[in-house]
Amino acid sequence: MTDTIAAIATPPALGAIAIIKLSGDQSLKILQTLTHRQHFPPRRAILVDCFEPSGDLLDQALALYFQAPHSYTGEDVAEIQCHGGLLVARLILEACLKAGARLATSGEFSKRAFFNGRMDLSQIQALQQLIESQNASMAKAMAKQLKGGLQDFVQTIRTALLELIATAEVLIDYAEEDLPENLPETLRAKMRPTLKKLQHTLEVSKAKQAQLEGYTLSIVGKPNVGKSSLLNALLLQERAIVSPLAGTTRDTIEEVVYLNGSCVRLVDTAGIREGADFVESLGIARSKARMQESQIILALFDLSQEMDAQDRHILDLLNAQQDKTILVILNKSDCTPKLDTNALLAKLPFLKAPPLVLSAKESPCLPLIQEALAPFMQTDLPDVILPTLSQQEALEATIAHLQSAQKPLKSLELELFAYHIKDALESLAKLTSPYNTEEMLGVMFSQFCLGK
Ligand SMILES: Nc1nc2c(ncn2[C@@H]2O[C@H](COP(=O)(O)OP(=O)(O)OP(=O)(O)O)[C@@H](O)[C@H]2O)c(=O)[nH]1
Ligand SMILES: [Mg+2]
């Protein structure tokens, strides 16, 4: 990979600056060609003029040169920060291409960083998740991981497993009567904290997936309870049509809001009722589907009306969604109350949050709902979180191998025990590096003094 790649690193939109990046052996030479300037001390911002090959001036810019291996990719890297806009950066990029660079493919800078050992796989993945993250605390966790948090985690587990193998291997050749008493229990006890740690990390990683992807919150209820009014109140704008006619909203309406530090997809749904016409029924089917896909449900009931069959139908639907965060909202608190709220809540004994009494018309809905949902949108994240499915699978495999290792312990088959632990090590290595596990194990074992 000795060719030099170039790309515009900033989004194609109007902004104050745009950045063109170069990486590869020719980076400095291309920079010199473009700027008609020879001297670029590394890691210094230099004010330069950028010229087209024809000699026409393109822009005044800041240029930075990073000498290999002290750069993001580990190669010679140059950056040109020019004025933002749709055209200037493109023209500078074209000039770079004419001067000998090749257009980079997506992710190619990071790929080079990986192959040059500047970042391991976990850091690349953390970087990707950091860019994609929809929520502030997840972004922080990923930034930590980018600095090597996952590597430290893997290293700690690896050391613990290597110790287990060492203990087992020393004893493999011993006659059974010479083995220490309670050996299976000793080894199992040694293994327990590691296994617990892995299981906890897996659980948390799966549970926090929603925080990475952003929550979906659906507003459900029978027709006319004020769902669209609540959506508008939360968006602080008249997004959905509100009317006293039951069945006003016929399709789902979705908007993204920023709630408790997370991007939340807010879904207003068609009021759920029996006996609706064909089109409304299609809308109702969508309401139910969106409700099932949500992590959080705002279930609306009308305080100004007595409970009816439609409300009871909603209660049945909620009963089938007990694993979700359900916030019951008793709306129209500005009207004379007729709803028997005790009877209603008795049908929902599994609720984790107390019901919220409000008026979508008159209450400050956004702060009220934000506060009510805060405990369910916890933003404290552990040091290590595995955001990708392949990492979660690697961890699951590690746990499975450790569990398999427990069986041969009973019959004191130490060789088989060590074999499973080695498998666990191999799966564990996939968290940070997808290949070369064989070689890595070789190095690790050579550092480890068996029989000590
Ligand atoms: N008094 C009072 N009226 C409300 C309140 N919230 C909504 N309404 C009224 O209730 C009626 C229905 O409101 P919508 O927001 O359209 O109700 P919806 O649940 O979206 O209804 P569908 O889309 O038909 O399912 C409208 O006339 C609203 O003005 C409230 O808190 N107090
Ligand atoms: Mg509506």
Side-chain angles (χ1 to χ4, degrees):
M1 280 196 304
T2 50
D3 57 343
T4 298
I5 50 172
I8 301 173
T10 40
L14 287 174
I17 58 162
I19 300 175
I20 297 100
K21 265 186 7 181
L22 288 154
S23 178
D25 295 346
Q26 300 293 305
S27 297
L28 181 59
K29 205 182 122 236
I30 294 169
L31 186 61
Q32 288 164 337
T33 308
L34 251 73
T35 57
H36 299 181
R37 181 194 165 100
Q38 287 307 307
H39 189 53
F40 282 96
R43 295 169 171 264
R44 285 259 197 89
I46 313 262
L47 189 64
V48 293
D49 289 327
C50 285
F51 299 93
E52 276 199 314
S54 66
D56 288 345
L57 179 67
L58 279 173
D59 194 12
Q60 199 172 45
L62 271 186
L64 285 139
Y65 167 57
F66 301 89
Q67 196 170 25
H70 306 293
S71 72
Y72 178 73
T73 58
E75 303 173 329
D76 263 9
V77 164
E79 269 185 35
I80 301 169
Q81 303 185 358
C82 64
H83 288 102
L86 299 172
L87 199 61
V88 184
R90 266 212 80 85
L91 291 175
I92 293 180
L93 176 65
E94 276 171 24
C96 291
L97 300 181
K98 281 182 197 150
R102 163 173 77 70
L103 196 62
T105 57
S106 61
E108 203 174 1
F109 288 91
S110 300
K111 202 165 159 193
R112 290 188 173 198
F114 173 61
F115 281 111
N116 289 324
R118 300 291 292 171
M119 282 203 260
D120 71 8
L121 190 70
S122 69
Q123 288 169 306
I124 299 267
Q125 278 166 335
L127 178 70
Q128 188 189 353
Q129 303 289 349
L130 175 67
I131 294 167
E132 288 174 4
S133 182
Q134 303 245 15
N135 116 357
S137 64
M138 183 55 96
K140 279 185 208 157
M142 287 302 124
K144 225 188 246 177
Q145 218 134 295
L146 190 58
K147 292 205 76 174
L150 184 55
Q151 269 167 325
D152 295 345
F153 170 81
V154 167
Q155 197 52 47
T156 314
I157 303 287
R158 182 178 287 157
T159 310
L161 296 185
L162 285 172
E163 271 174 27
L164 278 175
I165 294 184
T167 314
E169 299 222 326
V170 175
L171 300 171
I172 277 174
D173 295 330
Y174 282 34
E176 204 172 316
E177 56 274 19
D178 295 335
L179 288 174
E181 246 177 83
N182 298 330
L183 182 64
E185 192 34 53
T186 314
L187 286 175
R188 224 173 278 138
K190 264 193 171 180
M191 216 158 114
R192 213 167 286 134
T194 305
L195 200 52
K196 259 198 182 153
K197 206 167 172 176
L198 294 177
Q199 278 162 337
H200 176 70
T201 305
L202 183 64
E203 256 168 45
V204 171
S205 296
K206 284 186 168 174
K208 301 284 175 178
Q209 197 74 24
Q211 289 200 9
L212 181 69
E213 288 163 5
Y215 294 95
T216 300
L217 188 159
S218 57
I219 307 174
V220 301
K222 69 178 179 184
N224 239 0
V225 282
K227 298 179 294 298
S228 300
S229 305
L230 182 65
L231 174 86
N232 290 345
L234 292 175
L235 294 177
L236 308 172
Q237 73 177 70
E238 297 302 310
R239 170 68 180 82
I241 297 172
V242 165
S243 89
L245 297 173
T248 303
T249 309
R250 299 196 143 208
D251 205 345
T252 48
I253 300 175
E254 310 202 4
E255 289 289 334
V256 173
V257 287
Y258 195 66
L259 219 68
N260 287 324
S262 289
C263 287
V264 173
R265 181 167 290 280
L266 204 57
V267 189
D268 177 23
T269 62
I272 296 171
R273 64 168 161 184
E274 301 281 311
D277 68 28
F278 179 65
V279 178
E280 200 183 335
S281 308
L282 292 179
I284 291 171
R286 285 194 177 186
S287 303
K288 291 179 181 169
R290 280 316 256 147
M291 175 158 86
Q292 265 159 15
E293 288 157 11
S294 311
Q295 291 84 32
I296 303 173
I297 298 173
L298 297 187
L300 259 70
F301 295 93
D302 186 344
L303 271 174
S304 70
Q305 283 185 19
E306 282 173 25
M307 191 165 17
D308 60 16
Q310 291 177 342
D311 286 316
R312 277 190 282 276
H313 181 50
I314 299 288
L315 289 172
D316 289 342
L317 291 174
L318 292 176
N319 265 279
Q321 305 288 324
Q322 297 192 15
D323 53 324
K324 310 221 154 121
T325 297
I326 300 176
L327 180 63
V328 168
I329 295 184
L330 305 170
N331 189 33
K332 309 198 185 183
S333 62
D334 53 306
C335 303
T336 316
K338 288 203 182 133
L339 185 73
D340 182 349
T341 53
N342 287 335
L344 179 106
L345 295 171
K347 306 260 187 220
L348 302 167
F350 52 85
L351 288 184
K352 287 170 237 145
L356 203 57
V357 178
L358 57 74
S359 160
K361 263 189 167 176
E362 293 174 5
S363 309
C365 297
L366 187 59
L368 283 175
I369 287 191
Q370 188 149 259
E371 194 187 324
L373 290 179
F376 306 98
M377 298 172 69
Q378 286 289 359
T379 45
D380 57 318
L381 286 174
D383 283 351
V384 171
I385 183 153
L386 305 174
T388 68
L389 198 61
S390 64
Q391 285 176 315
Q392 290 177 12
E393 277 170 2
L395 190 57
E396 265 168 9
T398 312
I399 292 171
H401 289 309
L402 289 183
Q403 279 161 345
S404 307
Q406 314 241 5
K407 281 170 225 149
L409 267 187
K410 273 188 210 127
S411 45
L412 286 171
E413 289 171 276
L414 292 177
E415 226 156 324
L416 200 54
F417 170 76
Y419 170 83
H420 286 304
I421 304 279
K422 279 174 199 166
D423 276 351
L425 273 170
E426 214 160 297
S427 300
L428 183 72
K430 288 192 188 135
L431 287 183
T432 48
S433 168
Y435 67 115
N436 253 353
T437 45
E438 206 50 58
E439 188 186 314
M440 222 156 62
L441 282 179
V443 175
M444 284 180 330
F445 280 111
S446 68
Q447 287 168 349
F448 206 81
C449 177
L450 287 180
K452 194 178 169 194

